[in-house]
Amino acid sequence: MKLVVVLVLAALPLYCLAGSGCQLLEDVLAKGADPQTSVEEYVDFMSEFLDNDKEREVAEGLKQCFLRQSNETLANFMVLENAIFDSLLCAPF
């Protein structure tokens, strides 16, 4: 799980630098880290990006990883996400 989070967080600045904006990514991560959002709600939210059953399984697994974390860990994740989005590399976007 920690490796997945590290990889996602490492990709965030690159996503921002791609010029496609970060709002959608922020929404995806916020829903993922929200313990009130169920796996089904998360997959429904992501459905336009999921082309097949394997991708759907991966989205379900990612949400399950978030659901297994403590509230403190989820709060720390959101703090880290905000620090990345507020960084100099993402600020212009």
Side-chain angles (χ1 to χ4, degrees):
M1 166 58 196
K2 290 181 182 182
L3 178 59
V4 171
V5 171
V6 168
L7 292 175
V8 168
L9 293 175
L12 291 178
L14 297 176
Y15 185 87
C16 293
L17 289 174
S20 56
C22 291
Q23 187 58 50
L24 178 61
L25 184 58
E26 287 180 48
D27 293 344
V28 167
L29 291 173
K31 282 206 177 282
D34 182 3
Q36 303 301 318
T37 303
S38 70
V39 173
E40 294 79 22
E41 291 171 329
Y42 186 71
V43 170
D44 286 343
F45 178 75
M46 297 283 296
S47 64
E48 72 178 276
F49 307 107
L50 306 174
D51 295 327
N52 56 50
D53 290 338
K54 187 64 174 173
E55 291 175 359
R56 194 168 302 281
E57 288 177 30
V58 170
E60 290 171 357
L62 179 62
K63 180 59 183 173
Q64 283 294 345
C65 287
F66 278 113
L67 289 175
R68 286 193 293 262
Q69 303 306 309
S70 69
N71 288 337
E72 181 183 3
T73 300
L74 294 174
N76 289 338
F77 172 77
M78 295 307 292
V79 168
L80 181 58
E81 175 196 351
N82 290 331
I84 291 170
F85 287 137
D86 292 339
S87 72
L88 292 176
L89 292 175
C90 280
F93 304 98

